[in-house]
Amino acid sequence: MTDDASVPRLSRRFALSSLAAFGAVGMSGGARADEPAKSTPPQAPDRTRKSEPNSSHPEPADQPGVTAHPVIKTQSDVLYRPLIHFSPTTGFMNDPNGLIFDGTHYHLYYQYDPFAPYAGHVHWGHAISTDMLHWEDQPIAIDETKDGEAFTGCTVLDVKNTSGLFDTDKGGMAAIYTRATPHKQTQYLAISKDNGQSFTEYAHNPVLDIGSNSFRDPKILFHKPTNQWVMVIAKSRLHQIAFYASIDLIHWTHLSDFGPSGLFGVDYECPNLLEIPVEGGGSRWVLLVSVNPGGPTGGSITQYFIGDFDGSRFTPGDTVIGLTDFAKDAYALQLYDNMPNGEAVAIAWLGNWQYCQELPTHSWRGAMTLPRTLALRHDAAGWLRLAQKPRGVEALRGAEIAFPTRRIAAGSSAQATLPLGGALELVMSVTVDERPHDLPLGDKGRTGRFVIVFGNEQDESLTIGFDAFSGQLWLDRNDLNGFSQPFFTGQFSTALNPDDRHFDIHLILDACTLEIFANGGLSVGTALIFPSNPLTFLRLEASGAGASIENLALYPLKKTMPRETAVSG
């Protein structure tokens, strides 16, 4: 492979560079002499790391002797293994990357240490699916090499062979990702001639090097109005997202930088940019940026900005930032490329860097969320926000579990037995009664709470509750006894619609994973859960005021992958 370029290609590249320079400088307008000088953002401590790549999480697997210890499977590895959420057979998995639909299969690439259940020795693991639920494991797609670990990146279909690296004009799949060493993070290009099963590195890598060890996680889209590839990439310690353009995936021209903006945090990572439909008509551009650590709930989180993108610069529509999750265990949300009809679908890593390497499983660590369809919707206050809903889970439903209760009086409850060890889906719509005028203040000063309890006879409980008269939802995993760690905080909450006694919820409980979609998907909570014994019943409770259940459906979900779990099949 070579990057020999024809004269026309050089001319186009020169024109692109000229336009980029004008867009970055000329379009911004010159500063007047009487304007105050702009403050200079802090500089990243790019060359302080000596033993591992510059990231704000430790990589113990990179330390001497770690891989010499045998990986031992324990009972916890089976008990906590999800039935429908993707998890690695062994080793350590974190960020999804390279998500793409090739016309037949959905590809899930992911950050993977195949040798030990700790971060480090990062390769690209790989799985494929025809529905994003039933995954088939594939060989490792991109290896760690002498040039560094294979950090997060993306794949694209170069269908017009703009790179000139494929044998036919039909092109093929290309991967652009970060090679990371303790001293430098640079962007590499590799191509696949077997539909994403394996990749061959471009002979003249790296294709982008700015001399930093805090520069990573490229995500590329083809911007049709300007007829160019656009890369969004994190200048991690600077809290900036950089935009680059290319006509061939090889030569990149800097366009602009976004930020510092958003949460303080330590590292900005895994940016994504996509035009997402607005419910009711139109669309807006959404820039997703993951932060670690620095999330309001502690540790890692994904934030988003809504605005406009003109092919060279992202401009937020306002000063508001959103969070993709109100709990703690959804990070590095990544968008699928080449989706039919422009559907916006994402998967996140179901974990948090504060404790992901200490979880009670021992032969494997890491899981992915279910695929989520994304849209933009105006909330009750008129703000435009990201809404998420699980994609395609209905196809996994077994026979509905009977739970005929449609009314719960104040101070009472109703209960159903759960199948042992299975994955469950609960869909509910509830309205809490008006507060009686003569009702004294209830326990802890509140009345009118509706509580969903998953529990067992060992007094463990997982609760999701709605406080009708403050319009808030909570999640409490504190009363589960399978895992304890200082950062593994147990309680989270989110505001729903004010002055509204009604709430809807859609949740999926699967071994050690819980995903909650409330308020039509405007409020999403993702959490790891570790009961020391299986949860055997579901109880619904009302306190202070009664509640009417307009809709209640409880389903077992069928296992989707050949992993050893608490449920056979």
Side-chain angles (χ1 to χ4, degrees):
M1 293 181 293
T2 68
D3 68 337
D4 292 340
S6 63
V7 173
R9 182 173 293 173
L10 286 171
S11 299
R12 290 173 63 200
R13 190 151 49 248
F14 177 80
L16 176 62
S17 301
S18 300
L19 287 171
F22 180 76
V25 179
M27 294 179 67
S28 64
R32 300 197 316 266
D34 58 347
E35 288 181 340
K38 293 182 178 179
S39 60
T40 302
Q43 298 300 302
D46 274 353
R47 294 174 177 83
T48 58
R49 284 295 178 101
K50 304 298 183 184
S51 61
E52 60 187 43
N54 192 346
S55 56
S56 52
H57 57 79
E59 295 193 327
D62 286 336
Q63 306 306 315
V66 170
T67 57
H69 298 291
V71 174
I72 300 173
K73 184 185 295 185
T74 68
Q75 184 177 0
S76 295
D77 294 330
V78 176
L79 174 65
Y80 297 129
R81 171 81 75 177
L83 280 71
I84 65 172
H85 290 72
F86 183 83
S87 59
T89 53
T90 59
F92 182 88
M93 179 183 75
N94 53 293
D95 306 353
N97 51 239
L99 306 185
I100 196 167
F101 178 59
D102 67 11
T104 302
H105 290 101
Y106 299 96
H107 293 261
L108 169 62
Y109 299 97
Y110 52 91
Q111 300 284 272
Y112 183 45
D113 178 1
F115 307 117
Y118 303 101
H121 297 293
V122 184
H123 300 60
W124 273 30
H126 185 204
I128 59 173
S129 174
T130 57
D131 61 3
M132 296 193 196
L133 297 169
H134 296 81
W135 294 101
E136 300 176 22
D137 294 307
Q138 304 296 307
I140 287 173
I142 299 177
D143 291 316
E144 177 186 25
T145 70
K146 62 179 179 58
D147 295 316
E149 299 179 64
F151 271 21
T152 300
C154 64
T155 57
V156 296
L157 293 177
D158 184 13
V159 294
K160 295 184 179 179
N161 195 18
T162 62
S163 64
L165 299 177
F166 295 95
D167 297 332
T168 70
D169 291 338
K170 295 181 180 180
M173 189 182 296
I176 299 90
Y177 57 98
T178 301
R179 279 283 177 206
T181 73
H183 310 291
K184 186 177 288 189
Q185 294 182 359
T186 56
Q187 314 320 311
Y188 271 52
L189 170 65
I191 66 166
S192 176
K193 296 184 179 181
D194 55 9
N195 202 35
Q197 293 299 301
S198 63
F199 290 86
T200 301
E201 290 189 347
Y202 172 56
H204 302 288
N205 276 322
V207 294
L208 185 57
D209 179 0
I210 64 170
S212 169
N213 72 346
S214 186
F215 179 59
R216 59 182 175 271
D217 307 342
K219 176 69 174 181
I220 292 173
L221 62 120
F222 190 80
H223 189 252
K224 291 182 180 179
T226 55
N227 196 36
Q228 64 186 0
W229 298 101
V230 173
M231 175 194 295
V232 290
I233 187 168
K235 295 179 177 177
S236 296
R237 291 290 162 92
L238 293 179
H239 294 176
Q240 289 183 327
I241 303 302
F243 295 83
Y244 288 80
S246 175
I247 59 172
D248 59 8
L249 296 174
I250 297 170
H251 302 88
W252 293 92
T253 300
H254 181 251
L255 298 174
S256 63
D257 291 317
F258 172 76
S261 188
L263 299 172
F264 287 104
V266 174
D267 279 335
Y268 277 17
E269 298 184 314
C270 303
N272 275 232
L273 179 69
L274 188 69
E275 191 172 12
I276 293 180
V278 177
E279 293 180 356
S283 62
R284 296 293 298 277
W285 286 87
V286 176
L287 176 64
L288 293 149
V289 182
S290 292
V291 182
N292 177 54
T297 54
S300 40
I301 194 71
T302 299
Q303 61 184 338
Y304 66 90
F305 306 85
I306 301 173
D308 298 300
F309 181 67
D310 62 5
S312 64
R313 187 180 301 276
F314 176 79
T315 305
D318 48 46
T319 59
V320 177
I321 61 168
L323 300 177
T324 60
D325 213 90
F326 72 82
K328 199 164 180 174
D329 296 322
Y331 187 63
L333 191 77
Q334 295 281 292
L335 293 158
Y336 263 90
D337 194 49
N338 196 47
M339 287 296 293
N341 304 315
E343 184 184 11
V345 179
I347 288 178
W349 173 48
L350 214 160
N352 192 303
W353 279 113
Q354 286 186 328
Y355 41 75
C356 61
Q357 304 185 85
E358 303 175 45
L359 299 179
T361 54
H362 295 278
S363 65
W364 66 271
R365 289 188 175 115
M368 295 299 177
T369 66
L370 295 173
R372 300 172 176 184
T373 301
L374 309 183
L376 293 171
R377 182 189 309 148
H378 290 94
D379 66 11
W383 291 106
L384 196 59
R385 292 170 54 190
L386 194 65
Q388 308 172 62
K389 65 178 182 179
R391 183 183 189 272
V393 179
E394 299 82 3
L396 304 181
R397 290 173 177 170
E400 185 174 346
I401 299 170
F403 203 141
T405 302
R406 290 297 177 265
R407 173 73 188 169
I408 299 181
S412 65
S413 64
Q415 185 166 310
T417 300
L418 299 176
L420 194 63
L424 296 167
E425 178 188 23
L426 175 65
V427 182
M428 290 188 67
S429 182
V430 177
T431 300
V432 176
D433 296 348
E434 291 186 12
R435 190 196 326 239
H437 296 296
D438 58 348
L439 186 70
L441 290 179
D443 184 38
K444 300 180 181 178
R446 294 288 181 189
T447 56
R449 287 177 174 166
F450 187 88
V451 186
I452 302 166
V453 183
F454 292 93
N456 59 33
E457 299 304 321
Q458 289 76 34
D459 293 327
E460 292 184 285
S461 63
L462 169 70
T463 66
I464 301 97
F466 173 58
D467 189 302
F469 302 113
S470 67
Q472 298 183 77
L473 186 81
W474 80 79
L475 161 64
D476 188 349
R477 63 184 180 186
N478 262 342
D479 292 327
L480 301 176
N481 302 324
F483 179 58
S484 177
Q485 196 259 15
F487 291 121
F488 194 70
T489 47
Q491 296 171 324
F492 312 96
S493 64
T494 183
L496 303 183
N497 295 328
D499 305 315
D500 190 348
R501 294 176 286 105
H502 175 85
F503 82 102
D504 63 81
I505 193 167
H506 185 179
L507 66 83
I508 293 98
L509 178 66
D510 178 20
C512 68
T513 70
L514 173 68
E515 296 188 63
I516 299 171
F517 303 87
N519 201 15
L522 288 178
S523 294
V524 177
T526 310
L528 289 166
I529 58 166
F530 295 102
S532 58
N533 294 278
L535 302 175
T536 57
F537 64 79
L538 168 62
R539 185 169 64 240
L540 305 179
E541 303 173 346
S543 64
S548 297
I549 303 173
E550 289 91 12
N551 177 51
L552 191 162
L554 178 63
Y555 301 98
L557 297 175
K558 299 172 185 176
K559 185 175 177 178
T560 61
M561 282 163 286
R563 303 279 196 266
E564 186 179 2
T565 64
V567 174
S568 60

